[in-house]
């Protein structure tokens, strides 16, 4: 069903369980196929809640989330999730080899494909430098990767799946500058051709987005391109200057 990856939020309100105060209020926007919508907002503004409605980690309380015109609740859940790549702050790596972690969404992937994805994700070098390379165990009894390394494994995993929709959290946990620019290059490669929802902590990463939503207490406080917001939004200019 999912072909182009147009995402529409249509007056979406969301509450956690029976909570009185909604976390998201009447959110409407469209992410056109292949475009990037960045979501900017302070901690607790509702950014993670918003993106979690796309792969149906939660469902909207009111309103509709649609992909290619279809309510996400009417899309087969396995199909929905197989077309969405998730690269979040706390990337979910499991106990197992690096190879198994990279091919998680594509168990049939060949060793060549896995290495190709790892190279594009700027992860091949550090993996190759480990004593057991791609067979190195991660998790409880295995090696511990740094935040930036975990993120690149998650990027390699997403590259292998070639999802239609990408949900990204661009916050890189304390990494050096060289690593940060490598992660940026890997993310750019991953975003090519995908409709991307980008949770952005930094203004520098939203400037290139096709559309920016400024979220405040679950509401869209401002929306537009960087140039438009610089012209018309006091809120955005304040964030820009801070
Ligand atoms: N919240 C909640 N139950 C959860 C998750 C979040 O009640 N299981 C609440 C939080 O306390 C917060 C609001 O939902 O008041 C929005 O949270 P979130 O969507 O995580 O906000 P973000 O903007 O993503 O915050 P951060 O940048 O810190 O991740």
């Amino acid at each position: 069903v999912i072909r182009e990856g147009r995402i529409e939020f249509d007056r979406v309100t969301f509450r956690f369980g029976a909570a009185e105060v909604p976390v998201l209020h009447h959110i409407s926007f469209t992410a056109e196929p292949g475009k990037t919508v960045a979501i900017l907002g302070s901690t607790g503004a509702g950014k993670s809640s918003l993106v979690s409605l796309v792969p149906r980690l939660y469902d909207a309380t009111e309103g509709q989330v649609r992909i290619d015109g279809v309510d996400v609740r009417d899309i087969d859940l396995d199909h929905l999730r197989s077309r969405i790549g998730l690269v979040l702050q706390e990337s979910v790596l499991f106990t197992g080899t690096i190879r198994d972690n990279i091919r998680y969404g594509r168990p049939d992937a060949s060793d060549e494909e896995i290495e190709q994805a790892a190279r594009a994700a700027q992860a091949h070098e550090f993996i190759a430098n480990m004593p057991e390379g791609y067979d190195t165990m991660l998790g409880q009894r295995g090696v511990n990767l740094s935040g930036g390394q975990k993120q690149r494994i998650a990027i390699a995993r997403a590259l292998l799946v070639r999802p239609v929709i990408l949900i990204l959290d661009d916050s890189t946990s304390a990494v050096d500058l060289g690593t940060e620019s490598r992660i940026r290059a890997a993310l750019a490669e991953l975003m090519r051709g995908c409709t991307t929802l980008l949770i952005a902590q930094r203004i520098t990463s939203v400037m290139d987005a096709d559309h920016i939503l400024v979220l405040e207490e679950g509401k869209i406080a401002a929306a537009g391109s960087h140039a438009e917001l610089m012209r018309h939004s006091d809120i955005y200019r304040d964030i820009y200057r801070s």
Side-chain angles (χ1 to χ4, degrees), residues 4-20:
E4 293 192 293
R6 174 181 289 99
I7 305 168
E8 290 167 284
F9 274 62
D10 186 359
R11 282 162 294 167
V12 169
T13 291
F14 172 63
R15 329 184 137 70
F16 279 104
E20 227 170 273

Side-chain angles (χ1 to χ4, degrees), residues 101-160:
N101 269 278
I102 294 177
R103 71 175 165 203
Y104 174 70
R106 278 265 325 273
D108 62 309
S110 68
D111 288 354
E112 286 72 27
E113 288 176 299
I114 290 168
E115 188 180 315
Q116 201 182 14
R119 282 188 190 278
Q122 309 290 319
H124 174 73
E125 207 177 315
F126 79 76
I127 296 169
N129 280 329
M130 293 192 164
E132 295 180 81
Y134 285 84
D135 296 316
T136 303
M137 287 292 288
L138 302 181
Q140 281 181 336
R141 304 237 171 113
V143 301
N144 267 315
L145 299 181
S146 71
Q149 289 173 330
K150 285 184 195 160
Q151 194 176 18
R152 280 176 280 165
I153 300 274
I155 292 170
R157 180 192 281 171
L159 279 168
L160 211 47

